[in-house]
Amino acid sequence: MTVIEANDHYHSLEILGSDAMQTLQGQFTCDVIKQAPNTTIPGLLCSLKGRVEIISYVHKHSPEHFSIIVPAPDMDALAARLKPYLMFSRSKMAPSALSTHALVMSDTPNPPDATPHKFHLSDQIGLIADDTCAASISASATPSRLTSLRLRSGLLELNDRTRARFTPQQLSLDVLGYVSFTKGCYMGQEIIARIHYKGAPKTRLALLEWRDRAETPSNHSLIDAKGNTVGEILESDTELSLATVSTELPVEALLEGDNSHWSLSHFFHPQ
């Protein structure tokens, strides 16, 4: 089933100018030079220490115009990060609430009857222009539907607690297509590349399924049956969580955290 709802979740920062592409190429983990026009690819902004600060989707209209799509709460952080570099370029930025776009969500990947996305965020989530589907748009969005679909797809969103604490590898964003290992320099590249070629992260992104309530501290840490700390919950709804979890754990391992018992459903990387 495909559902179309009014969009108030995703906003974008429009980057326009003759050197927009070169400016973004030096900041994002994705390769915007090789990116084809009128496509959307996932990308990250990282710190000098290689920790993920912003998870985004980069839409390339042309080499002179990009839309950087993020959850609305991340807009200020995105603008603050790019502003110093745009000040000395021949490009400018302009925020957009994407209020003229609708959110499209599908239960199955790439359904054959789906309306083509203007901004293709994943195989099941996208944004389309309102005027292409005005009669089908629900009057109000249901955040729980989007959150559940995102969590099941491994589409993590950061918050103040989790921002700039984890490498892309700890969040499996390297294997989910957010990082190019063939492009030139960007902030944090040295550390991210070193882990990719010479190291192995001890934790990876995993989906947890809620089992029942537990008398455990709600400090987001995950505890295994032996009492060891084996990961951390990153984002949750009532039934699902995304967490960075020890790769030594087997699927269906039972864990405790955030006053709940959880079952490890699967990792978002090949094991």
Side-chain angles (χ1 to χ4, degrees), residues 134-189:
S136 305
I137 299 176
S138 300
S140 59
T142 53
S144 60
R145 183 194 303 274
L146 176 60
T147 300
S148 177
L149 190 57
R150 281 196 309 97
L151 297 183
R152 291 188 182 279
S153 301
L155 301 181
L156 175 68
E157 293 183 0
L158 299 177
N159 53 45
D160 291 342
R161 173 176 62 86
T162 56
R163 196 180 311 281
R165 289 185 51 216
F166 303 97
T167 65
Q169 287 89 345
Q170 289 176 297
L171 306 178
S172 295
L173 298 174
D174 56 331
V175 296
L176 292 174
Y178 288 79
V179 182
S180 168
F181 290 100
T182 60
K183 64 171 287 185
C185 295
Y186 57 85
M187 191 175 292
Q189 183 194 31

Side-chain angles (χ1 to χ4, degrees), residues 49-173:
K49 295 182 178 181
R51 270 49 179 181
V52 180
E53 294 183 343
I54 294 172
I55 300 174
S56 70
Y57 306 92
V58 181
H59 185 86
K60 183 178 185 178
H61 302 271
S62 71
E64 295 80 30
H65 181 194
F66 289 81
S67 296
I68 314 301
I69 301 165
V70 295
D74 288 353
M75 282 291 288
D76 288 345
L78 174 63
R81 169 62 186 270
L82 294 179
K83 183 178 179 180
Y85 303 96
L86 292 170
M87 286 177 60
F88 299 100
S89 73
R90 295 184 297 277
S91 300
K92 62 181 181 179
M93 61 183 181
S96 171
L98 295 178
S99 56
T100 60
H101 291 75
L103 189 62
V104 183
M105 296 171 285
S106 302
D107 291 339
T108 57
N110 299 316
D113 59 341
T115 303
H117 300 165
K118 172 64 178 295
F119 301 123
H120 187 79
L121 308 187
S122 77
D123 290 343
Q124 294 174 265
I125 302 172
L127 293 164
I128 58 177
D130 277 358
D131 56 8
T132 64
C133 58
S136 305
I137 299 176
S138 300
S140 59
T142 53
S144 60
R145 183 194 303 274
L146 176 60
T147 300
S148 177
L149 190 57
R150 281 196 309 97
L151 297 183
R152 291 188 182 279
S153 301
L155 301 181
L156 175 68
E157 293 183 0
L158 299 177
N159 53 45
D160 291 342
R161 173 176 62 86
T162 56
R163 196 180 311 281
R165 289 185 51 216
F166 303 97
T167 65
Q169 287 89 345
Q170 289 176 297
L171 306 178
S172 295
L173 298 174

